């Protein structure tokens, strides 16, 4: 994937031979990608995994919603399939809670 700075490491992990590895850099994109990395911490000294996940999901939701409100498209990359499913569910729950699901998030196909 051209979105990964370590595409060679990913290819090696997936056992892709050098001959079958292609890199499409930003010069091939009609619209440039913007990457945003956001660090999230929990207040206090207590490190509770659930609280951290909740906080990360809320920060992600706020960031995604801000971009959507400004007319941009958004893709959220998550490190695993389960994480992807969990994050998508959390974003949908937050969008439902804040009444933004139907207005800003695609909920059905074309």
């Amino acid at each position: 994937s051209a979105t990964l700075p370590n595409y060679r490491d990913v290819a090696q992990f997936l056992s892709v031979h050098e001959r079958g590895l292609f890199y499409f850099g930003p010069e091939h994109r009609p619209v440039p990608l913007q990457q945003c990395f956001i660090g999230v911490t929990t207040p206090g000294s207590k490190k509770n995994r659930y609280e951290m996940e909740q906080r990360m999901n809320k920060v992600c939701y706020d960031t995604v919603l801000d971009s959507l409100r400004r007319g941009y498209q958004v893709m959220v990359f998550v490190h695993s399939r389960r994480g992807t499913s969990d994050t998508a569910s959390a974003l949908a729950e937050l969008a439902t809670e804040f009444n933004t699901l139907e207005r800003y998030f695609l909920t059905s196909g074309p």
Side-chain angles (χ1 to χ4, degrees), residues 19-78:
R19 195 177 74 179
L21 177 62
F22 300 96
Y23 172 76
F24 297 95
E27 66 276 4
H28 296 285
R29 296 185 175 280
V31 177
L33 277 182
Q34 177 184 358
Q35 293 182 4
C36 179
F37 298 92
I38 300 171
V40 178
T41 59
T42 54
S45 60
K46 186 177 178 183
K47 299 289 182 189
N48 181 319
R49 183 177 174 89
Y50 176 77
E51 289 175 13
M52 179 66 95
E53 296 274 335
Q54 294 295 103
R55 182 140 168 76
M56 286 191 299
N57 288 333
K58 181 65 169 79
V59 169
C60 182
Y61 168 80
D62 290 342
T63 303
V64 166
L65 184 60
D66 177 62
S67 292
L68 293 174
R69 282 182 170 153
R70 292 185 290 134
Y72 294 107
Q73 296 176 344
V74 178
M75 288 179 20
V76 177
F77 287 88
V78 182

Side-chain angles (χ1 to χ4, degrees), residues 8 16-22:
R8 289 185 186 279
V16 174
H17 295 286
E18 186 71 29
R19 195 177 74 179
L21 177 62
F22 300 96

Side-chain angles (χ1 to χ4, degrees), residues 83-98:
T84 300
S85 176
D86 292 347
T87 301
S89 294
L91 292 177
E93 288 171 15
L94 286 164
T96 299
E97 178 183 339
F98 293 109

